[in-house]
Amino acid sequence: MSIAAQYVFRPGDPGYAQEIAGFQTGFTVRPEVVVGATAAEEVRAAVSYAAERGLPVGVQATGHGLPGAAEGGMLITTRRMDGVRIDPVARTAHIEAGVRWGQVVEAAAPHGLAPLNGSAPGVGAVSYTLGGGVGILAREFGWTADHVRALDVVTADGALRQVTAASDPELYGALLGGGQNLGVVTALEVGLVPVARLYGGDISFDGRRVDPATIVRAYREWAETVPDTVTSTFAALVYPDAPMLPEPLRGAYVVSVRLAFTGDAAEGERLVAPLRAIGPALSDSLREMPYTESHTIHSDPDFPHAYWGDGITVSDLTVDAAAELLRLTGPSADRMAVLQISHLGGALAQERPNAVPHRDARFLVRALYPIGEDGTGPIKELHARVELTVAPWATGRALNFLFGDSERTEGLYDAETRKRLARVKGMYDPANLFRRNYNIVPG
């Protein structure tokens, strides 16, 4: 039996290396066969082929969130499935599996609408949403997964199903928050929000001139006062002293607050006044902007690189604990670390009939580490100290921010949600075909 797809690659074939390449370069992925899908029917045929041969199946759109190295099996790449269709009356977007958030932002903007996208326009919209999706407007509108109306998914039996909360509430709820463990989602329909402009940006401080503990204390106090229409992240990193960076950033320790607010600019100016009072700013891009410029709030790197990371949800975070995180990951660290503390709550805490866990968390602590020549061992030693610092308040882990080591499944779900996911896995994938991501075992 051959695979009914236009683009099929095996090790040694021309184009194989290019097909498996993604944004994450830190891990080696060498599947036995790669299918570059162009349509849902090709995905269905590929899954049927893999099921007959017992090949584990993984999916890759942009390769941002690879769970680690992998050998063998089948990889289905979806980057060619890049159709976006906006329904301005229903305020929905129909998104194919390979679409990136920047495409959805651009397509929705002429209608005065916006998706609940993340900070980086190059991230795959579907995989982001299946992992929950905590984006730049999250405190006001909640998890992106909460706004999904329907999903088209190929399950392990080779069937292409359209799944809604009404047609199959168990599978629908498990797909949203369960990641890519239950099938290959070929498209989804997701609600849009009526946001054409926002007030936001980044205010940064020189962490060598303004005490980082003072900045995080001011941020922590400020975050307690703002309305749910403000979504923000505290970030800190020491930039490498590299010639490709602008002179002011080379070797700089930059501590910043990044935020988005959907109210008017005058109210935005009033809300950010306490941040501007912290001290002299290294840069200040806070302004009113069209939503199409929202990617400039975080200005995430858009070039492939190697990294390992974790996202820990916490019920609280004291100023002293946050200051210790800054000490561990700041200039005294023996390697570059990107620390981010995102303010949760608001609509993110509202319960929904899906598998997105840890909704009662107040903050998300994210740590990301570039992988150097010494590998991930020293990174994990440093991160163990980060984990220990937040341990008294840790409630779990965030799937979308867990990069590398697919065996690190502890904390991804609470016991009840994991049990629910295992039950649905047993119904739709009893042979555990989809196991090349952070795995849920059939129950």
Side-chain angles (χ1 to χ4, degrees):
M1 174 183 174
S2 61
I3 303 174
Q6 182 178 354
Y7 299 98
V8 179
F9 306 87
R10 298 183 185 276
D13 287 349
Y16 174 89
Q18 291 79 6
E19 191 68 20
I20 64 176
F23 189 83
Q24 164 68 271
T25 64
F27 306 107
T28 301
V29 179
R30 287 193 57 81
E32 178 181 325
V33 58
V34 187
V35 177
T38 63
E41 180 56 32
E42 291 187 353
V43 173
R44 191 203 62 75
V47 169
S48 296
Y49 179 94
E52 287 187 8
R53 289 156 179 78
L55 298 175
V57 176
V59 188
Q60 179 175 306
T62 65
H64 278 72
L66 290 182
E71 290 284 342
M74 173 184 284
L75 179 67
I76 299 174
T77 59
T78 62
R79 65 176 67 102
R80 297 174 182 83
M81 300 173 65
D82 60 355
V84 179
R85 185 171 69 249
I86 305 297
D87 184 335
V89 176
R91 291 181 177 174
T92 59
H94 183 270
I95 304 168
E96 291 187 347
V99 169
R100 304 178 184 220
W101 273 127
Q103 297 170 253
V104 189
V105 170
E106 292 294 334
H111 308 286
L113 300 171
L116 295 177
N117 55 287
S119 60
V123 166
V126 169
S127 56
Y128 166 97
T129 303
L130 297 180
V134 54
I136 60 174
L137 303 179
R139 279 175 39 82
E140 181 172 1
F141 297 106
W143 301 86
T144 307
D146 296 346
H147 296 259
V148 172
R149 312 283 181 84
L151 308 97
D152 296 339
V153 58
V154 176
T155 46
D157 58 0
L160 176 60
R161 309 165 187 265
Q162 184 174 74
V163 179
T164 68
S167 70
D168 191 335
E170 284 211 282
L171 182 56
Y172 169 87
L175 286 167
L176 298 171
Q180 300 182 31
N181 283 295
L182 296 163
V184 182
V185 173
T186 61
L188 56 78
E189 181 182 293
V190 63
L192 303 172
V193 296
V195 175
R197 303 182 68 80
L198 55 77
Y199 178 92
D202 168 288
I203 181 167
S204 297
F205 304 91
D206 183 342
R208 301 183 197 274
R209 294 181 57 197
V210 182
D211 180 14
T214 298
I215 303 170
V216 77
R217 179 178 295 105
Y219 172 73
R220 182 71 175 77
E221 294 172 354
W222 173 82
E224 293 297 323
T225 69
V226 297
D228 294 349
T229 47
V230 176
T231 302
S232 65
T233 293
F234 174 93
L237 73 153
V238 180
Y239 282 92
D241 187 3
M244 73 279 296
L245 292 173
E247 182 65 37
L249 290 182
R250 294 179 189 175
Y253 183 31
V254 179
V255 182
S256 61
V257 178
R258 304 158 179 177
L259 65 95
F261 168 58
T262 55
D264 63 43
E267 179 63 7
E269 288 286 303
R270 186 191 70 80
L271 285 170
V272 302
L275 300 177
R276 286 181 166 146
I278 291 172
L282 188 64
S283 65
D284 183 345
S285 67
L286 295 169
R287 69 196 188 281
E288 187 177 30
M289 67 180 77
Y291 196 80
T292 51
E293 294 181 10
S294 62
H295 63 279
T296 65
I297 294 173
H298 289 255
S299 296
D300 293 311
D302 59 1
F303 52 87
H305 57 287
Y307 50 93
W308 187 98
D310 201 355
I312 305 170
T313 54
V314 294
S315 59
D316 200 357
L317 189 66
T318 65
V319 171
D320 287 345
E324 175 63 9
L325 292 177
L326 288 166
R327 187 192 69 78
L328 288 170
T329 60
S332 63
D334 64 355
R335 63 195 55 254
M336 182 178 175
V338 182
L339 173 70
Q340 298 185 75
I341 302 172
S342 295
H343 185 203
L344 304 181
L348 291 165
Q350 298 173 7
E351 291 297 328
R352 291 290 188 270
N354 58 40
V356 178
H358 313 312
R359 290 174 177 264
D360 57 349
R362 295 179 66 191
F363 294 95
L364 170 64
V365 176
R366 289 182 278 163
L368 188 143
Y369 312 86
I371 300 174
E373 294 182 358
D374 53 359
T376 61
I379 287 173
K380 294 175 185 179
E381 291 178 9
L382 171 57
H383 187 69
R385 297 196 290 275
V386 169
E387 286 184 305
L388 186 62
T389 301
V390 301
W393 308 279
T395 63
R397 280 190 161 87
L399 180 62
N400 277 355
F401 302 105
L402 191 59
F403 305 119
D405 297 348
S406 59
E407 70 275 7
R408 286 189 299 151
T409 59
E410 71 281 359
L412 286 180
Y413 302 100
D414 57 86
E416 188 58 35
T417 301
R418 180 173 286 277
K419 182 178 177 181
R420 172 186 168 194
L421 287 171
R423 183 180 70 251
V424 178
K425 177 82 165 175
M427 294 165 58
Y428 288 95
D429 185 17
N432 202 15
L433 187 70
F434 303 106
R435 62 179 186 271
R436 288 192 52 173
N437 301 291
Y438 296 96
N439 197 28
I440 297 294
V441 178

